[in-house]
Amino acid sequence: MRIGVDLDEILADYLSALIEFHNKKYHTVLKKSDFFSYRFWEVWGGNREEAIKKVYDFYQTPEFQNIQPVVGAIE
């Protein structure tokens, strides 16, 4: 049996870490309020395939490894 748990923005501040990565690597100035969709290509441009590659690249970074818990999640 496998059990999946969705941590993004519920327990882990995934979006802040992703934004930090994207801003550093692509010289953007994104902020959380820019994200109206989890279809990231709609926010930062490009297409779906490019966005998927960026996210996979993000998974290999210190920003991903050091994602912080959402305030209150530990309590």
Side-chain angles (χ1 to χ4, degrees):
M1 174 188 334
R2 290 186 181 183
I3 298 173
V5 179
D6 184 4
L7 302 175
D8 305 349
E9 306 313 306
I10 303 300
L11 297 176
D13 192 7
Y14 177 88
L15 195 52
S16 289
L18 179 64
I19 291 168
E20 181 181 352
F21 157 77
H22 196 278
N23 286 345
K24 282 181 185 176
K25 180 160 182 154
Y26 299 101
H27 308 287
T28 55
V29 290
L30 295 169
K31 52 192 177 305
K32 272 190 171 183
S33 61
D34 294 323
F35 285 77
F36 56 88
S37 171
Y38 276 90
R39 295 177 178 156
F40 296 135
W41 63 94
E42 293 178 353
V43 177
W44 60 43
N47 61 44
R48 182 178 186 273
E49 291 74 25
E50 292 167 337
I52 290 169
K53 176 158 181 5
K54 284 182 181 183
V55 170
Y56 283 146
D57 289 347
F58 166 60
Y59 292 161
Q60 306 305 313
T61 67
E63 290 85 5
F64 179 75
Q65 297 299 316
N66 295 311
I67 290 176
Q68 297 299 302
V70 170
V71 174
I74 293 174
E75 292 80 29

Coordinates of all heavy atoms in Angstrom, one line a residue:
M1 N 0.8 -1.2 0.0 CA 0.0 0.0 0.0 C 0.9 1.2 0.0 O 1.9 1.3 0.7 CB -0.9 0.0 1.2 CG -1.7 1.3 1.3 SD -2.6 1.6 2.9 CE -3.0 0.1 3.6
R2 N 0.5 2.2 -0.8 CA 1.2 3.5 -0.8 C 0.2 4.6 -0.4 O -1.0 4.6 -0.8 CB 1.7 3.8 -2.2 CG 2.8 3.0 -2.6 CD 3.3 3.5 -4.0 NE 4.4 2.6 -4.4 CZ 5.1 2.8 -5.4 NH1 4.9 3.8 -6.2 NH2 6.1 2.0 -5.8
I3 N 0.7 5.5 0.4 CA -0.1 6.6 0.9 C 0.6 7.9 0.5 O 1.8 8.1 0.7 CB -0.3 6.6 2.4 CG1 -1.0 5.3 2.9 CG2 -1.0 7.8 2.9 CD1 -1.0 5.1 4.3
G4 N -0.1 8.7 -0.2 CA 0.4 10.0 -0.7 C -0.1 11.1 0.2 O -1.2 11.1 0.7
V5 N 0.8 12.1 0.5 CA 0.4 13.2 1.3 C 0.8 14.5 0.6 O 1.9 14.7 0.1 CB 1.1 13.2 2.7 CG1 0.8 14.4 3.5 CG2 0.8 11.9 3.4
D6 N -0.2 15.4 0.4 CA 0.0 16.6 -0.3 C 0.6 17.6 0.7 O -0.2 18.1 1.6 CB -1.2 17.1 -1.0 CG -1.0 18.4 -1.8 OD1 0.1 18.9 -1.9 OD2 -2.0 19.0 -2.3
L7 N 1.8 18.0 0.6 CA 2.4 18.9 1.5 C 2.5 20.4 1.1 O 2.6 21.3 1.9 CB 3.9 18.5 1.8 CG 4.1 17.0 2.3 CD1 5.6 16.7 2.4 CD2 3.4 16.9 3.7
D8 N 2.4 20.6 -0.2 CA 2.6 21.9 -0.8 C 1.6 22.9 -0.2 O 0.4 22.7 -0.4 CB 2.4 21.9 -2.3 CG 3.4 20.9 -3.0 OD1 4.3 20.3 -2.3 OD2 3.2 20.6 -4.2
E9 N 2.1 23.9 0.4 CA 1.3 25.0 0.9 C 0.4 24.6 2.1 O -0.4 25.4 2.6 CB 0.5 25.8 -0.2 CG 1.4 26.2 -1.3 CD 2.7 26.9 -0.9 OE1 2.6 27.9 -0.1 OE2 3.8 26.5 -1.3
I10 N 0.4 23.3 2.5 CA -0.4 22.9 3.6 C 0.5 22.7 4.8 O 0.3 23.2 5.9 CB -1.1 21.5 3.3 CG1 -2.0 21.7 2.1 CG2 -1.9 21.0 4.5 CD1 -3.1 22.7 2.2
L11 N 1.6 21.9 4.6 CA 2.6 21.7 5.6 C 4.0 22.4 5.2 O 4.7 22.8 6.1 CB 2.8 20.2 5.9 CG 1.6 19.5 6.5 CD1 1.9 18.0 6.6 CD2 1.2 20.1 7.8
A12 N 4.2 22.4 3.9 CA 5.5 22.9 3.5 C 5.3 24.1 2.6 O 4.4 24.2 1.7 CB 6.3 21.8 2.7
D13 N 6.2 25.1 2.8 CA 6.1 26.4 2.0 C 6.9 26.2 0.7 O 7.9 26.8 0.4 CB 6.7 27.5 2.8 CG 6.5 28.9 2.2 OD1 5.7 29.0 1.3 OD2 7.0 29.9 2.8
Y14 N 6.3 25.3 -0.1 CA 6.9 24.9 -1.4 C 7.0 26.1 -2.4 O 8.1 26.3 -3.0 CB 6.0 23.9 -2.1 CG 6.4 23.4 -3.4 CD1 7.3 22.4 -3.6 CD2 5.9 24.0 -4.6 CE1 7.6 21.9 -4.9 CE2 6.2 23.6 -5.9 CZ 7.1 22.6 -6.0 OH 7.5 22.1 -7.2
L15 N 6.0 26.9 -2.4 CA 6.0 28.0 -3.4 C 7.1 29.1 -3.1 O 7.7 29.5 -4.0 CB 4.6 28.7 -3.4 CG 4.3 29.6 -4.6 CD1 4.6 29.0 -5.9 CD2 2.9 30.1 -4.5
S16 N 7.3 29.4 -1.8 CA 8.4 30.3 -1.5 C 9.8 29.8 -2.0 O 10.6 30.6 -2.5 CB 8.4 30.6 0.0 OG 7.3 31.4 0.4
A17 N 10.0 28.5 -1.8 CA 11.3 27.9 -2.2 C 11.4 27.9 -3.7 O 12.4 28.2 -4.3 CB 11.4 26.5 -1.6
L18 N 10.3 27.6 -4.4 CA 10.3 27.6 -5.8 C 10.6 29.0 -6.4 O 11.3 29.1 -7.3 CB 9.0 27.0 -6.4 CG 8.8 27.0 -7.9 CD1 9.8 26.0 -8.5 CD2 7.4 26.6 -8.3
I19 N 9.9 30.0 -5.8 CA 10.1 31.3 -6.2 C 11.6 31.8 -6.0 O 12.2 32.4 -6.9 CB 9.2 32.3 -5.5 CG1 7.7 32.0 -6.0 CG2 9.6 33.7 -5.7 CD1 6.7 32.7 -5.1
E20 N 12.2 31.4 -4.9 CA 13.6 31.8 -4.6 C 14.5 31.1 -5.7 O 15.3 31.8 -6.2 CB 14.0 31.2 -3.2 CG 15.4 31.6 -2.8 CD 15.8 31.0 -1.5 OE1 14.9 30.5 -0.7 OE2 17.0 31.1 -1.2
F21 N 14.2 29.9 -6.0 CA 15.0 29.2 -7.0 C 14.8 29.9 -8.4 O 15.8 30.2 -9.1 CB 14.5 27.7 -7.2 CG 14.8 27.1 -8.5 CD1 16.1 26.7 -8.8 CD2 13.8 26.9 -9.4 CE1 16.4 26.1 -10.1 CE2 14.1 26.4 -10.7 CZ 15.3 26.0 -11.0
H22 N 13.6 30.1 -8.8 CA 13.3 30.7 -10.1 C 13.9 32.1 -10.2 O 14.5 32.5 -11.2 CB 11.8 30.8 -10.3 CG 11.5 31.0 -11.8 ND1 11.5 32.3 -12.3 CD2 11.1 30.1 -12.7 CE1 11.1 32.2 -13.6 NE2 10.9 30.9 -13.9
N23 N 13.8 32.9 -9.2 CA 14.3 34.3 -9.2 C 15.9 34.3 -9.3 O 16.4 35.1 -10.1 CB 13.9 35.1 -8.0 CG 12.5 35.5 -8.0 OD1 11.8 35.5 -9.1 ND2 11.9 35.9 -6.9
K24 N 16.5 33.3 -8.6 CA 18.0 33.3 -8.7 C 18.4 32.8 -10.1 O 19.3 33.4 -10.7 CB 18.5 32.3 -7.6 CG 18.6 32.9 -6.3 CD 19.2 31.8 -5.3 CE 19.2 32.3 -3.9 NZ 19.6 31.2 -3.0
K25 N 17.8 31.7 -10.5 CA 18.3 31.1 -11.8 C 17.9 31.9 -13.0 O 18.7 32.0 -14.0 CB 17.8 29.7 -11.9 CG 18.2 29.0 -13.2 CD 18.1 27.5 -13.1 CE 18.7 26.9 -14.4 NZ 19.2 25.6 -14.3
Y26 N 16.7 32.5 -13.0 CA 16.2 33.1 -14.2 C 16.1 34.6 -14.1 O 15.6 35.3 -15.0 CB 14.8 32.5 -14.6 CG 14.9 31.0 -14.9 CD1 14.5 30.1 -13.9 CD2 15.4 30.6 -16.1 CE1 14.6 28.7 -14.2 CE2 15.5 29.2 -16.3 CZ 15.1 28.3 -15.4 OH 15.3 27.0 -15.6
H27 N 16.7 35.2 -13.0 CA 16.8 36.6 -12.8 C 15.4 37.3 -12.9 O 15.2 38.3 -13.6 CB 17.8 37.2 -13.8 CG 19.1 36.5 -13.8 ND1 20.0 36.7 -12.8 CD2 19.6 35.7 -14.7 CE1 21.0 35.9 -13.0 NE2 20.9 35.3 -14.2
T28 N 14.4 36.6 -12.3 CA 13.1 37.2 -12.2 C 12.9 37.8 -10.8 O 13.7 37.7 -9.9 CB 12.0 36.1 -12.5 OG1 12.2 35.0 -11.5 CG2 12.1 35.6 -13.9
V29 N 11.8 38.5 -10.7 CA 11.4 39.1 -9.4 C 10.0 38.7 -9.0 O 9.2 39.5 -8.5 CB 11.6 40.7 -9.4 CG1 13.0 41.1 -9.5 CG2 10.7 41.2 -10.6
L30 N 9.8 37.4 -9.1 CA 8.4 36.9 -8.8 C 8.2 36.9 -7.3 O 9.1 36.9 -6.5 CB 8.3 35.4 -9.2 CG 8.4 35.2 -10.7 CD1 8.6 33.7 -11.0 CD2 7.1 35.7 -11.4
K31 N 6.9 37.0 -6.9 CA 6.5 37.0 -5.5 C 5.3 36.1 -5.4 O 4.6 35.9 -6.5 CB 6.3 38.4 -4.9 CG 5.5 39.3 -5.7 CD 5.6 40.7 -5.2 CE 4.8 41.7 -6.0 NZ 5.0 41.7 -7.4
K32 N 4.9 35.7 -4.2 CA 3.8 34.8 -4.1 C 2.5 35.4 -4.7 O 1.7 34.7 -5.3 CB 3.5 34.5 -2.6 CG 4.3 33.3 -2.1 CD 3.8 32.9 -0.7 CE 4.4 31.6 -0.3 NZ 3.9 31.2 1.0
S33 N 2.3 36.7 -4.6 CA 1.1 37.3 -5.1 C 1.0 37.2 -6.6 O -0.1 37.4 -7.2 CB 1.0 38.7 -4.6 OG 2.0 39.5 -5.1
D34 N 2.1 36.9 -7.3 CA 2.0 36.7 -8.7 C 1.4 35.4 -9.2 O 1.0 35.2 -10.3 CB 3.5 36.8 -9.3 CG 4.1 38.1 -9.2 OD1 3.4 39.1 -9.3 OD2 5.3 38.2 -8.9
F35 N 1.3 34.4 -8.2 CA 0.8 33.1 -8.6 C -0.7 33.0 -8.4 O -1.2 32.9 -7.3 CB 1.6 32.1 -7.7 CG 3.0 31.8 -8.2 CD1 4.0 32.8 -7.9 CD2 3.3 30.8 -9.0 CE1 5.3 32.6 -8.4 CE2 4.6 30.6 -9.4 CZ 5.6 31.5 -9.1
F36 N -1.3 32.9 -9.5 CA -2.8 32.8 -9.6 C -3.2 31.4 -10.0 O -4.3 31.0 -10.1 CB -3.4 33.8 -10.6 CG -2.8 33.7 -11.9 CD1 -3.4 32.9 -12.9 CD2 -1.7 34.5 -12.3 CE1 -2.8 32.8 -14.2 CE2 -1.2 34.4 -13.6 CZ -1.7 33.6 -14.5
S37 N -2.1 30.6 -10.3 CA -2.3 29.2 -10.8 C -1.1 28.3 -10.5 O 0.0 28.8 -10.4 CB -2.5 29.3 -12.4 OG -2.5 28.0 -12.9
Y38 N -1.4 27.0 -10.3 CA -0.3 26.1 -10.2 C 0.1 25.6 -11.6 O 1.0 24.7 -11.7 CB -0.7 24.9 -9.3 CG -0.5 25.3 -7.8 CD1 -1.5 25.9 -7.1 CD2 0.8 25.1 -7.2 CE1 -1.3 26.3 -5.8 CE2 1.0 25.5 -5.9 CZ 0.0 26.1 -5.2 OH 0.2 26.4 -3.9
R39 N -0.4 26.1 -12.6 CA 0.1 25.9 -14.0 C 1.2 26.9 -14.1 O 0.9 28.0 -14.7 CB -1.0 26.0 -15.0 CG -2.1 25.0 -14.9 CD -3.2 25.2 -15.9 NE -4.1 24.2 -15.8 CZ -5.4 24.3 -16.2 NH1 -5.8 25.4 -16.7 NH2 -6.2 23.3 -16.0
F40 N 2.3 26.6 -13.6 CA 3.4 27.6 -13.5 C 3.7 28.4 -14.8 O 4.1 29.6 -14.7 CB 4.6 27.0 -12.9 CG 4.5 26.5 -11.5 CD1 4.9 25.2 -11.1 CD2 3.8 27.2 -10.5 CE1 4.8 24.7 -9.9 CE2 3.6 26.7 -9.3 CZ 4.1 25.5 -8.9
W41 N 3.6 27.7 -15.9 CA 3.9 28.4 -17.2 C 2.9 29.6 -17.4 O 3.3 30.5 -18.1 CB 3.8 27.4 -18.4 CG 2.5 26.8 -18.6 CD1 1.5 27.2 -19.4 CD2 2.0 25.6 -18.0 NE1 0.4 26.4 -19.4 CE2 0.7 25.4 -18.5 CE3 2.5 24.7 -17.0 CZ2 -0.1 24.3 -18.1 CZ3 1.7 23.7 -16.6 CH2 0.4 23.5 -17.1
E42 N 1.7 29.5 -16.8 CA 0.8 30.7 -16.9 C 1.3 31.9 -16.1 O 0.9 33.0 -16.4 CB -0.6 30.3 -16.4 CG -1.3 29.2 -17.3 CD -2.6 28.8 -16.8 OE1 -3.0 29.2 -15.7 OE2 -3.3 28.1 -17.5
V43 N 2.1 31.6 -15.2 CA 2.7 32.7 -14.3 C 4.0 33.2 -14.9 O 4.2 34.4 -15.1 CB 2.9 32.2 -12.9 CG1 3.5 33.3 -12.0 CG2 1.5 31.8 -12.3
W44 N 4.9 32.3 -15.2 CA 6.3 32.7 -15.6 C 6.5 32.7 -17.1 O 7.6 33.0 -17.5 CB 7.3 32.0 -14.8 CG 7.4 30.5 -14.8 CD1 7.3 29.8 -16.0 CD2 7.7 29.6 -13.8 NE1 7.5 28.5 -15.6 CE2 7.7 28.3 -14.3 CE3 7.9 29.8 -12.4 CZ2 7.9 27.2 -13.5 CZ3 8.1 28.7 -11.6 CH2 8.1 27.4 -12.2
G45 N 5.5 32.3 -17.8 CA 5.7 32.2 -19.3 C 6.2 30.9 -19.7 O 6.6 30.0 -18.9
G46 N 6.3 30.8 -21.0 CA 6.8 29.5 -21.6 C 5.7 28.5 -21.8 O 4.5 28.9 -21.8
N47 N 6.0 27.3 -21.9 CA 5.0 26.3 -22.1 C 5.1 25.2 -21.0 O 5.9 25.3 -20.1 CB 5.1 25.6 -23.5 CG 6.4 24.9 -23.7 OD1 6.9 24.2 -22.8 ND2 7.0 25.1 -24.9
R48 N 4.1 24.3 -21.0 CA 4.0 23.3 -20.0 C 5.3 22.4 -19.8 O 5.8 22.2 -18.7 CB 2.8 22.4 -20.3 CG 2.5 21.3 -19.3 CD 1.3 20.5 -19.7 NE 0.9 19.6 -18.6 CZ 1.5 18.3 -18.5 NH1 2.3 17.9 -19.3 NH2 1.1 17.6 -17.5
E49 N 5.8 22.0 -20.9 CA 7.1 21.2 -20.9 C 8.2 21.9 -20.3 O 9.0 21.4 -19.5 CB 7.4 20.7 -22.3 CG 6.4 19.7 -22.9 CD 5.1 20.3 -23.3 OE1 5.0 21.5 -23.6 OE2 4.1 19.6 -23.3
E50 N 8.4 23.2 -20.6 CA 9.4 24.0 -20.0 C 9.2 24.2 -18.5 O 10.2 24.1 -17.7 CB 9.5 25.4 -20.7 CG 10.0 25.4 -22.1 CD 9.7 26.7 -22.9 OE1 8.8 27.5 -22.5 OE2 10.4 26.9 -23.9
A51 N 8.0 24.4 -18.1 CA 7.7 24.5 -16.7 C 8.0 23.2 -15.9 O 8.6 23.2 -14.8 CB 6.2 24.9 -16.5
I52 N 7.7 22.1 -16.5 CA 8.0 20.8 -15.9 C 9.5 20.6 -15.7 O 9.9 20.2 -14.7 CB 7.3 19.6 -16.7 CG1 5.8 19.7 -16.6 CG2 7.9 18.3 -16.3 CD1 5.1 18.8 -17.5
K53 N 10.2 21.0 -16.7 CA 11.7 20.9 -16.6 C 12.2 21.8 -15.5 O 13.1 21.4 -14.8 CB 12.4 21.2 -18.0 CG 13.9 21.2 -17.8 CD 14.6 21.0 -19.1 CE 16.1 21.0 -19.0 NZ 16.7 21.0 -17.7
K54 N 11.7 23.0 -15.4 CA 12.1 23.9 -14.4 C 11.8 23.3 -13.0 O 12.7 23.4 -12.1 CB 11.4 25.3 -14.5 CG 11.9 26.1 -15.6 CD 11.2 27.5 -15.6 CE 11.6 28.4 -16.7 NZ 11.0 29.7 -16.6
V55 N 10.7 22.7 -12.8 CA 10.3 22.1 -11.5 C 11.2 20.9 -11.2 O 11.7 20.8 -10.1 CB 8.8 21.7 -11.5 CG1 8.5 20.9 -10.3 CG2 8.0 23.0 -11.5
Y56 N 11.5 20.1 -12.2 CA 12.5 19.0 -12.0 C 13.8 19.5 -11.7 O 14.5 18.9 -10.8 CB 12.5 18.1 -13.2 CG 11.3 17.1 -13.3 CD1 10.8 16.8 -14.6 CD2 10.7 16.6 -12.2 CE1 9.7 15.9 -14.7 CE2 9.6 15.7 -12.3 CZ 9.1 15.4 -13.6 OH 8.1 14.5 -13.7
D57 N 14.3 20.6 -12.3 CA 15.6 21.2 -12.0 C 15.5 21.7 -10.5 O 16.5 21.5 -9.8 CB 15.9 22.3 -12.9 CG 16.2 21.9 -14.3 OD1 16.5 20.7 -14.5 OD2 16.2 22.8 -15.2
F58 N 14.4 22.3 -10.1 CA 14.3 22.8 -8.8 C 14.5 21.7 -7.7 O 15.0 21.9 -6.7 CB 12.9 23.5 -8.6 CG 12.4 23.7 -7.2 CD1 13.1 24.6 -6.4 CD2 11.2 23.2 -6.8 CE1 12.7 24.8 -5.1 CE2 10.8 23.4 -5.5 CZ 11.5 24.3 -4.7
Y59 N 14.0 20.5 -8.0 CA 14.1 19.4 -7.1 C 15.5 19.0 -6.8 O 15.8 18.3 -5.8 CB 13.4 18.1 -7.7 CG 11.9 18.3 -7.7 CD1 11.1 17.4 -8.6 CD2 11.2 19.2 -7.0 CE1 9.7 17.5 -8.6 CE2 9.8 19.3 -7.1 CZ 9.1 18.5 -7.9 OH 7.7 18.6 -8.0
Q60 N 16.5 19.5 -7.6 CA 17.9 19.1 -7.4 C 18.6 20.2 -6.7 O 19.9 20.2 -6.6 CB 18.6 18.9 -8.7 CG 17.9 17.8 -9.6 CD 17.7 16.5 -8.9 OE1 18.7 16.0 -8.2 NE2 16.5 15.9 -8.9
T61 N 18.0 21.2 -6.1 CA 18.6 22.4 -5.6 C 18.5 22.5 -4.0 O 17.7 21.8 -3.4 CB 17.9 23.7 -6.1 OG1 16.6 23.8 -5.6 CG2 18.0 23.7 -7.6
P62 N 19.4 23.3 -3.4 CA 19.3 23.5 -2.0 C 18.0 24.1 -1.6 O 17.5 23.9 -0.5 CB 20.5 24.4 -1.7 CG 21.5 24.3 -2.9 CD 20.6 23.9 -4.0
E63 N 17.5 25.0 -2.5 CA 16.2 25.6 -2.1 C 15.1 24.5 -1.9 O 14.3 24.6 -0.9 CB 15.7 26.5 -3.2 CG 16.5 27.8 -3.4 CD 17.8 27.7 -4.2 OE1 18.0 26.6 -4.8 OE2 18.5 28.6 -4.3
F64 N 15.1 23.5 -2.7 CA 14.1 22.4 -2.5 C 14.4 21.6 -1.2 O 13.6 21.3 -0.5 CB 14.1 21.5 -3.7 CG 13.1 20.3 -3.5 CD1 11.8 20.5 -3.7 CD2 13.6 19.1 -3.3 CE1 10.9 19.5 -3.5 CE2 12.7 18.0 -3.1 CZ 11.4 18.2 -3.2
Q65 N 15.7 21.3 -1.0 CA 16.1 20.5 0.1 C 15.8 21.2 1.4 O 15.7 20.6 2.5 CB 17.6 20.2 0.0 CG 18.0 19.3 -1.2 CD 17.3 18.0 -1.1 OE1 17.2 17.3 -0.1 NE2 16.8 17.6 -2.3
N66 N 15.7 22.6 1.4 CA 15.6 23.3 2.6 C 14.2 24.0 2.7 O 14.1 25.0 3.4 CB 16.7 24.4 2.7 CG 18.0 23.8 2.8 OD1 18.2 22.9 3.7 ND2 19.0 24.2 2.0
I67 N 13.2 23.4 2.1 CA 11.8 24.0 2.2 C 11.4 24.0 3.7 O 11.6 23.1 4.4 CB 10.8 23.1 1.4 CG1 11.1 23.3 -0.1 CG2 9.4 23.5 1.8 CD1 10.2 22.4 -1.0
Q68 N 10.9 25.2 4.0 CA 10.5 25.4 5.4 C 9.0 25.0 5.6 O 8.2 25.1 4.7 CB 10.7 26.9 5.8 CG 12.1 27.3 5.7 CD 13.0 26.5 6.7 OE1 12.7 26.5 7.9 NE2 14.0 25.8 6.2
P69 N 8.7 24.6 6.9 CA 7.3 24.4 7.1 C 6.4 25.6 7.1 O 6.9 26.7 7.3 CB 7.3 23.8 8.6 CG 8.6 24.0 9.1 CD 9.5 24.4 8.0
V70 N 5.2 25.5 6.8 CA 4.2 26.6 6.8 C 4.1 27.0 8.3 O 4.1 26.2 9.2 CB 2.9 26.2 6.2 CG1 1.8 27.2 6.5 CG2 3.0 25.9 4.7
V71 N 4.0 28.3 8.5 CA 3.8 28.8 9.9 C 2.6 28.1 10.5 O 1.5 28.0 10.0 CB 3.6 30.3 9.9 CG1 3.2 30.8 11.3 CG2 4.8 31.0 9.3
G72 N 2.9 27.5 11.7 CA 1.9 26.8 12.4 C 1.8 25.3 12.1 O 1.1 24.5 12.8
A73 N 2.5 24.8 11.1 CA 2.4 23.4 10.7 C 3.0 22.5 11.7 O 2.5 21.4 11.9 CB 3.1 23.2 9.3
I74 N 4.0 22.9 12.3 CA 4.7 22.0 13.3 C 3.8 21.8 14.6 O 3.6 20.7 15.1 CB 6.1 22.5 13.7 CG1 7.0 22.4 12.5 CG2 6.7 21.8 14.9 CD1 8.3 23.0 12.6
E75 N 3.2 22.9 15.0 CA 2.3 22.9 16.1 C 1.1 22.0 15.8 O 0.6 21.3 16.6 CB 1.9 24.3 16.5 CG 3.0 25.1 17.1 CD 3.8 25.8 16.0 OE1 3.4 26.0 14.9 OE2 5.0 26.0 16.3

